[in-house]
Amino acid sequence: MPKGNRLKIRLEYLKNRARRFDAGSVLERAKEVSAQHDKPTPVIVADMLWSAVFRDTAFQDYVDWDYAILSRAERDTFMTHSISNHLAMEHDAPASRGIFQDKIEFNKVFDRFLKRRWLDVREASVDDVREFVQTAGTVMGKVPFSNSGHGVHRHIASEIDDWDAFRTQLLDEGQTLLEEYVVQHPVLAEICPGTANTTRVTTFFDGETTHILSMAQKFGRGEASDQQTFGGFYTMLDLQGKSRGRGYDSHNNVHERHPESGVSIPEYQLPLMETVHPFIDEVARVVPDVKYVGWDIVMSADGPVLIEGNWAVGVYENKPSVTGIRTGSRPRFQQIIGF
C-alpha cells in the first residue's frame, strides 16, 4: 500500500480514538498501573497519552503489556491493537471482510473445516430445530454479528420443554445460529471440561505461504465461552505450542493453575501441535485476499476444529510481570509482513 494511504488510515484511526477519548477511564487505568508498579499517577497519565499518540499504543495495551516497567526498546517489541488495526486495514480486502463478520456466512464458506453440524434458525422449522438439538444433545446458540463472546449461549436438549417457544426465543434474542457442541481433546477437557478452550492462531498469508505469527491458548471457567467477559484467561504459546508461563487476563488475575481443575498452566502443551499448521494453511487459502487473520480453533482428539476467523485481529501478547519475559512478538510480525 502506498505510504500516503497508510498515513490516511493512521490519521483516521487517531481521529476516531480522539472522538472516543474518555479522560475518566484513562485516569482509572493510570491509577491501577500506579498502584501495581509504584509510580506516580501523573507520570503514568502523561506516558499513556504520549504512547497513544506517538507509539500506536492503546491505553489498555499500556496496562496489559506492563509498559510502565519497560524500556523504549522493550516496548517496541510488543504488538498493539493500534498496529494490528493498521495491518488489518491494509491487508484485508474490504469486499471480503463481511465473510468474517457474519458467523453464518463464515460457516457457509468454511463449512468443511468446522467438523460439526450447524443450523440457520431463520430457515429452520420448529421440527428442524428440535431434531437438531435433540440429536446433538448440547448446542451453542450464537448471535451472528458479535464479538468477545457476547451473544453466545449454551442450550441442553433435556432442559427444553416447549420447542415452539424455544425457537421463538432464539429469534427474539438474535441467536439465529445453532452449532453442535465441540468435543475437545482430553488434555483440554482435563483443564476445563465445561468450556471449549480455543487456541488463537494469528496468521499472515503472503499469496504463497501461510505464516503463523503468534499463538495463544485461552482457557474458560465452565461458562459458554472462554472469553474474558466470561471469566476466561490465556497464556501465550511458543510456535511449538508450549506455554510461555502463567495465565492472565486484563483484570489483574494471574493463574499458576486453572482455578477449577488445578492443572498447571506453565506446563501446558497444545496436543497434536503438528496438525495445526497444515490445517491453518488450508483454511487461510479459502479467502486469500483477507491475508491477516486471527483464527480460533479447538483441538479435538482428531485434530483442529475451526471455530471462527477474525479479520480485525485482536492482540494477544506476553505480560512481563507475569512471565518474566520482557519482549513481545512484534519482530516476527515485522519480519513476515514487512512494516
Side-chain angles (χ1 to χ4, degrees), residues 31-332:
K31 288 179 178 178
E32 177 185 333
V33 173
S34 174
Q36 181 180 4
H37 299 300
D38 193 27
K39 294 195 175 186
T41 298
V43 172
I44 298 297
V45 169
D47 195 25
M48 288 178 71
L49 293 173
W50 186 89
S51 298
V53 175
F54 297 107
R55 306 305 298 173
D56 280 328
T57 306
F59 299 130
Q60 192 60 44
D61 291 340
Y62 185 101
V63 177
D64 288 343
W65 316 152
D66 295 325
Y67 268 32
I69 62 172
L70 299 181
S71 68
R72 168 73 174 273
E74 290 169 336
R75 292 180 182 189
D76 285 347
T77 68
F78 282 77
M79 280 296 294
T80 69
H81 281 81
S82 302
I83 295 172
S84 184
N85 176 78
H86 301 327
L87 295 175
M89 295 298 289
E90 179 173 350
H91 295 289
D92 294 341
S96 298
R97 294 172 188 168
I99 295 171
F100 295 81
Q101 293 170 324
D102 182 343
K103 290 179 172 58
I104 292 178
E105 183 64 23
F106 181 87
N107 279 13
K108 291 177 182 178
V109 174
F110 290 91
D111 184 68
R112 70 188 181 95
F113 299 101
L114 303 180
K115 302 180 183 179
R116 62 193 182 280
R117 295 173 64 214
W118 59 277
L119 185 71
D120 184 341
V121 179
R122 299 169 301 182
E123 299 177 355
S125 67
V126 173
D127 288 340
D128 292 334
V129 171
R130 180 175 63 246
E131 184 277 331
F132 181 85
V133 179
Q134 287 181 335
T135 300
T138 301
V139 299
M140 303 306 295
K142 297 182 179 180
V143 176
F145 293 92
S146 63
N147 54 46
S148 301
H150 297 296
V152 177
H153 303 269
R154 182 165 47 210
H155 302 289
I156 302 172
S158 61
E159 297 177 353
I160 303 170
D161 297 319
D162 187 332
W163 291 96
D164 185 73
F166 176 65
R167 180 179 182 275
T168 299
Q169 175 191 342
L170 292 175
L171 294 174
D172 288 346
E173 295 179 357
Q175 296 179 56
T176 52
L177 173 61
L178 291 180
E179 296 179 346
E180 285 183 323
Y181 193 73
V182 176
V183 179
Q184 58 192 338
H185 193 283
V187 167
L188 288 161
E190 180 187 4
I191 299 172
C192 181
T195 306
N197 303 286
T198 58
T199 307
R200 167 59 61 90
V201 185
T202 301
T203 66
F204 185 79
F205 178 61
D206 65 12
E208 295 182 0
T209 304
T210 302
H211 304 271
I212 294 179
L213 301 171
S214 68
M215 298 175 61
Q217 179 63 53
K218 293 179 275 187
F219 297 107
R221 301 290 301 278
E223 300 297 328
S225 171
D226 59 11
Q227 296 284 356
Q228 293 187 49
T229 50
F230 287 81
F233 60 95
Y234 72 95
T235 182
M236 294 302 295
L237 305 179
D238 64 22
L239 296 182
Q240 287 71 51
K242 179 70 174 64
S243 171
R244 300 188 72 197
R246 295 178 293 172
Y248 46 90
D249 60 21
S250 292
H251 309 291
N252 290 325
N253 297 306
V254 178
H255 303 286
E256 179 78 25
R257 297 182 176 275
H258 192 280
E260 279 71 54
S261 66
V263 175
S264 170
I265 303 303
E267 293 178 7
Y268 173 77
Q269 168 69 53
L270 178 65
L272 302 179
M273 178 61 206
E274 68 276 7
T275 66
V276 173
H277 193 276
F279 179 80
I280 287 295
D281 183 50
E282 279 194 78
V283 169
R285 295 172 188 273
V286 174
V287 187
D289 58 354
V290 177
K291 301 177 180 180
Y292 177 55
V293 181
W295 307 98
D296 284 336
I297 63 172
V298 170
M299 188 60 72
S300 76
D302 300 318
V305 173
L306 183 62
I307 302 300
E308 66 180 20
N310 302 270
W311 79 266
V313 184
V315 177
Y316 292 79
E317 260 290 11
N318 170 54
K319 189 172 181 65
S321 64
V322 173
T323 65
I325 303 169
R326 298 175 68 96
T327 53
S329 59
R330 195 195 304 186
R332 180 167 178 80

Side-chain angles (χ1 to χ4, degrees), residues 21-31 44-45 48-49 59:
F21 178 73
D22 183 342
S25 176
V26 173
L27 182 59
E28 285 304 309
R29 287 184 171 96
K31 288 179 178 178
I44 298 297
V45 169
M48 288 178 71
L49 293 173
F59 299 130

